[in-house]
Amino acid sequence: MTEDLNWAIGGEAGDGIDSTGKIFAQALSRAGRHVFTSKDFASRIRGGYTAYKIRTSTDRVQSVVDRLDILVALTQRTIDENLDELHEGSAVIYDGERSWDAEIPDEITAVDVPLKTLAEEAGGAIMLNVVALGAACEITGFDVEYLDESLEKRFGGKGSKIVENNREAARKGRDYVRENYDFDLGYELDTTDNDYVLLNGDEAIGMGALAAGCRFYAGYPITPATNVMEYLTGRIEQYGGHVVQAEDELSAINMALGGARAGARSMTATSGPGIDLMTETFGLVATSETPLVIVDVMRSGPSTGMPTKQEQGDLNMTLYGGHGEIPRFVVAPTTIDECFWKTVEAFNYAEKYQTPVYVVADLALAVTEQTFSPETFDMDAVEIDRGTLVDDDSIGEWLDEQGRFRAHAATEDGISPRAIPGTTDGAHMSTGLEHDELGRRTEDTEVRVEQVDKRNRKVETAKAEEDWDYREFGDEDAENLVISWGSNEGALVEALEYLEDEGIDVRILSVPYIFPRPDLTDDVEAAEDVIVVECNATGQFADVIEHDTLTRVKRVNKYTGVRFKADELADAISTKLSEEVPAQ
Amino acid sequence: MSSEVRFTDFKSDKQPTWCPGCGDFGTMNGMMKALANTGNDPDNTFLVAGIGCSGKIGTYMHSYALHGVHGRALPVATGVKMARPDIEVMAAGGDGDGYSIGAGHFVHAVRRNVDMTYVVMDNRIYGLTKGQASPTSRSDFETSTTPEGPQQPPVNPLALALAAGATFIAQSFASDALRHAEIIEEAIEHDGFGFVNVFSPCVTFNDVDTYDYFRDTLVDLEEEGHDRHDLEAAKEVILDADKEYQGVMYQNENSVPYHEQHGVTENMADIPDGAPENAMDLVREFY
């Protein structure tokens, strides 16, 4: 009956919530169902409410909704936190034998399963979450066998006995419900022949980096960017690369800068507070014309803000951060698969234009897992453009009369030749000080202007040469235009349906480029009403749109720390459309 | 570059703007000689410099070079070496650059044992900002910002390195050209982090730690029969506050450089034209 099912497990941090959720999500994905996950977590290791939510359907799902069908509750707080989302057809699986009396509203089906006892029978209390998974399978008509491979993947490293025990635990959960309950909530999880892959934005960024030939990564752990480093560690070595966990972010970006100057495709990833620290060196990267990819996985700020919560507050920082005027590129993936492709693009821009490139993702992309067809990440389509790299043979035309390499030659398109260490006659100096074509310090007024113009000219060249486009959804002739960046795209696309039901037609532009960016003037002028949707309080992208188009726009902002949900976004857009445009 | 590299090949045609008589001239000459003597040439050498008078060295020498931001030469040099184990890497800077703003990086580069040579031109003063106290200034050294002296003990960079697990710790004197070049050469040949603190007098702002002072007081460890492989003996000279030493204080015979510890052997600049051949395996992992 219900194709679209919302499942969650919640408890205290340290209860294995995350891995249990992941096991179920992987099983659904292997069974050919689409999955979209979200996580509620607190900034602590043990204790504190944490939940892993799965929305699954045979159709593609790309946002969260305000509905919960099956909830595995390991604590009362899990029930309380999700009360609003539970409905008459919901079931709550809990363990009545544990030391709390679960308070569950009458209209919700309470499924009391002795999770701990059954887990002990299967070989250990620690498997109680897996017993709950088995119970959930029974309620949703999902074959428990689909869990087997996920359990192997999760516990295979601990030995076949552990895997066997877990499989047994799942079956005990299933059997208990089968034997003790006789209800039908109507859930029937169909399977398909598809085999999807399930990954999150951080992983997609790391995979993109490897595909693009990134060989050197230096970083410092910070939520929610650490997964990028964890992903690369252990994998980058297969390609002759290396990850260094630096002593701080200042060191991380400087190491990455060193790797890049040595000729390796190099990257660092951090979150807002780390970007602050890296900004000192960011100017050096740009001025020395070093190709470098810097990933900012945004979280809620300022200062340490809410480290485990969603926000899109760093747009201004990445667009304007740093003293002086710094040419740069800022790309911002709007979906998890774009995290992969934009990272590949970022490496090409970096080397083609010899400039730092920010890849700006947000927490909602980074920690959310989603299913994709494997072909979404078609490795044959990955192209690598190393730009104007010169070698022993081609360097000749770039030497001056004294045989010195003109590393910062002021070319027409602003792009200079690049020689990496080991290139004969390529030895040259690079510096954050203003410099001449040879890279040597200067305060000569003419050379200063020439070099500033040269560096800025690269951006002009890129604006003309590359496609700084956007993705479009909805009704292309609609009078209402909604503009978005970052992870809001999925919720917006799903909001279209709700808006249609209300008789509201909208055209949606999802923009993955912050700088350079597409010119939206014609689109904005053609629309009656323009709304910019973003997860911040002030509307940083809306400011940029107003600046570009000289037109006031309406703003829908969310800065609670939680991502937009499709239904709430539809409401917000509908309300905003009925309001007057703000005064100039 | 051919095999007959001369030390002057490492010299750029830019005239140093260091004050006449500055210790940095001698420090640099020794570095150039040592690089040539160890069979390197400018095209396979990368020099990373810090900020300050000493940081200008990248401009006056000829090689692949980066003049970075204050205190962060060592992370850059680490990145270069990891990406390119085939390249000779040298980092240079001053006492402010290395022991104040860069102190954290110093400790970590030492403990990683990155295969590079780190030369610190220690003049015990901030020169380029015109004479303020540095981390190695004596506690009673009067300057514009410390009229009574810093009133705190100077940093002992050798002890800092020792505590961080250094595998090569040395000290030299810019004016003792022969010994200085010899010591730098040994640091280059050391497999791991070769650290050399160089007494490089500031003739303009420091009238205490002068050429004469070092000439009169310097004790050469070689002449003393010091055993550089003896950790206890190294501790003794490094913690000896009453004497100024030159020579190699400590060298660990079993030093394995960071990139070797981590199995990094490839030139990371070489990458294919597209995604790696087996890249779809990266996707399949997510089944």
Side-chain angles (χ1 to χ4, degrees):
Chain A
M1 177 192 100
T2 313
E3 266 315 309
D4 189 343
L5 182 100
N6 292 279
W7 174 95
I9 181 167
E12 295 218 340
D15 279 347
I17 302 299
D18 215 48
S19 56
T20 312
K22 183 92 182 245
I23 288 165
F24 196 41
Q26 273 173 339
L28 290 161
S29 153
R30 292 300 301 259
R33 295 186 60 85
H34 275 291
V35 164
F36 187 90
T37 75
S38 62
K39 293 170 191 178
D40 291 340
F41 59 110
S43 185
R44 53 197 283 184
I45 309 294
R46 281 203 73 89
Y49 170 68
T50 179
Y52 186 105
K53 296 185 174 180
I54 296 174
R55 183 173 165 213
T56 176
S57 171
T58 46
D59 296 328
R60 188 155 184 263
V61 275
Q62 48 190 337
S63 79
V64 285
V65 288
D66 282 322
R67 199 181 86 236
L68 201 49
D69 304 311
I70 312 284
L71 174 64
V72 176
L74 300 183
T75 57
Q76 181 62 40
R77 181 156 179 207
T78 308
I79 299 167
D80 298 342
E81 289 274 347
N82 295 284
L83 222 42
D84 290 351
E85 298 188 0
L86 293 169
H87 55 94
E88 232 168 278
S90 300
V92 174
I93 299 165
Y94 70 105
D95 185 347
E97 284 184 1
R98 292 172 76 212
S99 58
W100 54 288
D101 296 319
E103 289 170 31
I104 303 170
D106 292 342
E107 66 271 23
I108 291 157
T109 306
V111 187
D112 183 354
V113 183
L115 303 174
K116 199 173 162 206
T117 304
L118 292 172
E120 279 164 355
E121 284 172 23
I126 197 165
M127 298 183 292
L128 68 91
N129 296 355
V130 178
V131 176
L133 284 183
C137 284
E138 179 61 19
I139 298 169
T140 55
F142 187 66
D143 196 329
V144 88
E145 282 182 17
Y146 284 112
L147 292 177
D148 289 352
E149 278 186 60
S150 314
L151 291 169
E152 167 75 40
K153 196 165 177 170
R154 178 73 181 84
F155 299 112
K158 297 181 176 178
S160 57
K161 180 78 180 142
I162 303 283
V163 177
E164 265 324 301
N165 289 351
N166 274 282
R167 287 175 180 169
E168 177 63 17
R171 281 159 179 76
K172 281 191 180 291
R174 175 196 63 185
D175 294 346
Y176 186 87
V177 174
R178 195 174 277 178
E179 287 155 18
N180 294 280
Y181 287 95
D182 183 24
F183 59 81
D184 185 4
L185 297 172
Y187 299 115
E188 190 69 54
L189 293 184
D190 286 344
T191 58
T192 76
D193 292 336
N194 298 311
D195 257 346
Y196 296 120
V197 290
L198 180 76
L199 72 170
N200 67 31
D202 274 348
E203 290 164 338
I205 289 167
M207 195 166 77
L210 290 181
C214 175
R215 293 289 178 271
F216 185 67
Y217 177 96
Y220 189 76
I222 183 169
T223 304
T226 313
N227 279 342
V228 176
M229 180 155 65
E230 288 177 339
Y231 174 80
L232 290 172
T233 303
R235 287 183 181 81
I236 203 168
E237 290 86 350
Q238 296 167 26
Y239 307 99
H242 186 66
V243 168
V244 179
Q245 181 172 320
E247 56 273 22
D248 54 37
E249 285 89 347
L250 298 149
S251 176
I253 189 172
N254 278 282
M255 280 185 193
L257 163 66
R261 287 222 69 85
R265 285 195 153 191
S266 303
M267 182 170 94
T268 184
T270 185
S271 188
I275 292 291
D276 289 352
L277 294 174
M278 290 184 179
T279 303
E280 175 194 43
T281 298
F282 181 75
L284 168 65
V285 175
T287 309
S288 63
E289 304 194 68
T290 306
L292 189 65
V293 176
I294 303 161
V295 179
D296 175 20
V297 187
M298 295 177 288
R299 63 188 211 182
S300 186
S303 190
T304 29
M306 297 193 292
T308 61
K309 300 297 173 189
Q310 159 73 356
E311 198 164 282
Q312 297 175 294
D314 297 353
L315 184 143
N316 286 341
M317 178 69 187
T318 50
L319 185 53
Y320 306 114
H323 66 276
E325 295 165 310
I326 304 175
R328 75 197 66 203
F329 293 173
V330 184
V331 300
T334 57
T335 57
I336 290 167
D337 47 323
E338 264 202 353
C339 287
F340 174 85
W341 289 108
K342 294 302 168 204
T343 303
V344 173
E345 258 181 53
F347 277 100
N348 286 338
Y349 295 145
E351 286 204 304
K352 241 174 120 176
Y353 299 98
Q354 296 170 44
T355 190
V357 181
Y358 274 123
V359 174
V360 183
D362 49 51
L363 178 133
L365 284 175
V367 306
T368 296
E369 287 142 331
Q370 198 179 349
T371 37
F372 298 93
S373 298
E375 305 81 59
T376 312
F377 308 99
D378 176 12
M379 292 294 176
D380 291 335
V382 170
E383 285 171 13
I384 288 177
D385 186 346
R386 304 212 66 183
T388 56
L389 210 52
V390 297
D391 57 21
D392 289 2
D393 298 325
S394 61
I395 196 168
E397 61 175 302
W398 296 102
L399 303 179
D400 71 2
E401 283 144 19
Q402 282 87 47
R404 300 174 301 192
F405 179 57
R406 294 162 59 221
H408 300 279
T411 57
E412 214 166 288
D413 60 7
I415 300 165
S416 307
R418 187 159 73 102
I420 59 170
T423 309
T424 307
D425 296 332
H428 67 278
M429 165 83 184
S430 239
T431 171
L433 291 166
E434 192 53 88
H435 46 261
D436 60 16
E437 288 197 336
L438 300 175
R440 295 164 171 208
R441 177 195 185 157
T442 184
E443 286 174 3
D444 181 292
T445 51
E446 278 177 34
V447 177
R448 159 70 177 174
V449 172
E450 182 183 67
Q451 285 293 320
V452 170
D453 289 349
K454 172 224 140 42
R455 293 192 292 266
N456 287 333
R457 213 150 54 231
K458 295 191 285 191
V459 177
E460 294 312 311
T461 302
K463 278 182 182 169
E465 274 193 14
E466 314 287 343
D467 289 330
W468 307 101
D469 52 4
Y470 49 72
R471 303 213 286 175
E472 191 167 351
F473 303 92
D475 176 2
E476 61 178 33
D477 299 319
E479 286 179 344
N480 306 311
L481 179 67
V482 176
I483 302 172
S484 159
W485 68 287
S487 66
N488 314 314
E489 180 184 303
L492 263 177
V493 171
E494 295 203 350
L496 278 173
E497 246 177 78
Y498 296 90
L499 288 164
E500 247 170 50
D501 290 347
E502 281 189 62
I504 301 171
D505 289 334
V506 296
R507 178 181 179 220
I508 292 171
L509 307 183
S510 177
V511 185
Y513 300 110
I514 307 299
F515 191 82
R517 58 182 170 264
D519 182 355
L520 302 180
T521 311
D522 291 346
D523 306 277
V524 166
E525 280 178 359
E528 188 78 20
D529 251 325
V530 181
I531 297 176
V532 178
V533 169
E534 51 193 316
C535 283
N536 57 42
T538 56
Q540 297 179 24
F541 197 52
D543 288 344
V544 161
I545 300 291
E546 287 186 346
H547 167 273
D548 287 358
T549 63
L550 301 178
T551 305
R552 292 292 275 201
V553 297
K554 292 176 175 175
R555 297 157 192 239
V556 168
N557 302 89
K558 186 174 182 183
Y559 43 97
T560 56
V562 180
R563 67 186 303 158
F564 281 112
K565 291 173 180 173
D567 38 5
E568 96 181 325
L569 199 44
D571 277 349
I573 289 169
S574 148
T575 308
K576 197 54 94 172
L577 284 173
S578 63
E579 285 176 10
E580 291 292 309
V581 181
Q584 292 286 353
Chain B
M1 286 280 166
S2 63
S3 54
E4 69 247 34
V5 176
R6 288 150 40 90
F7 89 92
T8 47
D9 291 333
F10 284 96
K11 202 168 165 56
S12 83
D13 51 11
K14 200 92 171 169
Q15 282 305 309
T17 56
W18 288 324
C19 303
C22 175
D24 292 353
F25 286 98
T27 309
M28 180 172 77
N29 285 338
M31 287 164 66
M32 295 192 294
K33 276 182 192 150
L35 280 165
N37 288 349
T38 47
N40 292 292
D41 70 52
D43 287 335
N44 84 342
T45 302
F46 203 110
L47 173 67
V48 188
I51 297 280
C53 295
S54 59
K56 293 178 174 182
I57 193 165
T59 313
Y60 310 140
M61 281 176 65
H62 176 61
S63 73
Y64 283 90
L66 182 88
H67 178 213
V69 293
H70 203 187
R72 327 239 175 262
L74 291 177
V76 175
T78 301
V80 173
K81 188 69 198 181
M82 293 313 289
R84 298 294 299 276
D86 56 321
I87 292 295
E88 188 61 42
V89 179
M90 195 172 261
D95 40 312
D97 188 68
Y99 309 143
S100 204
I101 188 165
H105 303 313
F106 175 55
V107 168
H108 291 279
V110 166
R111 87 183 171 97
R112 287 190 187 101
N113 201 27
V114 182
D115 190 15
M116 64 162 95
T117 304
Y118 182 37
V119 178
V120 180
M121 297 168 230
D122 185 359
N123 56 12
R124 299 177 174 175
I125 186 95
Y126 282 170
L128 203 57
T129 50
K130 300 194 191 309
Q132 297 79 30
S134 96
T136 49
S137 293
R138 296 158 189 255
S139 66
D140 59 354
F141 186 64
E142 297 166 15
T143 75
S144 61
T145 50
T146 56
E148 316 272 306
Q151 301 291 329
Q152 50 191 327
V155 163
N156 179 343
L158 308 171
L160 211 54
L162 186 77
T167 57
F168 186 98
I169 305 172
Q171 193 153 260
S172 67
F173 176 35
S175 177
D176 192 346
L178 197 65
R179 286 290 285 133
H180 166 64
E182 266 172 18
I183 291 166
I184 301 283
E185 206 175 309
E186 289 205 59
I188 291 172
E189 284 179 337
H190 175 70
D191 288 331
F193 193 84
F195 167 50
V196 187
N197 190 64
V198 186
F199 294 129
S200 183
C202 174
V203 292
T204 306
F205 294 110
N206 191 333
D207 53 8
V208 181
D209 303 294
T210 60
Y211 285 101
D212 283 343
Y213 163 74
F214 286 112
R215 268 185 211 117
D216 292 345
T217 54
L218 213 54
V219 176
D220 195 302
L221 290 169
E222 202 111 316
E223 289 164 14
E224 297 283 294
H226 173 72
D227 178 3
R228 66 170 74 175
H229 303 304
D230 181 345
L231 188 61
E232 290 307 314
K235 279 183 198 163
E236 215 163 286
V237 291
I238 285 170
L239 297 176
D240 182 355
D242 300 327
K243 284 184 189 155
E244 308 276 13
Y245 292 98
Q246 75 170 352
V248 181
M249 272 101 189
Y250 181 66
Q251 183 168 19
N252 183 334
E253 291 170 291
N254 304 315
S255 167
V256 180
Y258 184 84
H259 67 277
E260 283 182 23
Q261 286 171 43
H262 292 270
V264 174
T265 53
E266 285 178 50
N267 173 346
M268 293 185 193
D270 296 335
I271 57 164
D273 295 335
E277 258 174 48
N278 53 351
M280 273 317 278
D281 289 349
L282 293 169
V283 182
R284 287 188 200 103
E285 229 186 285
F286 290 105
Y287 271 131

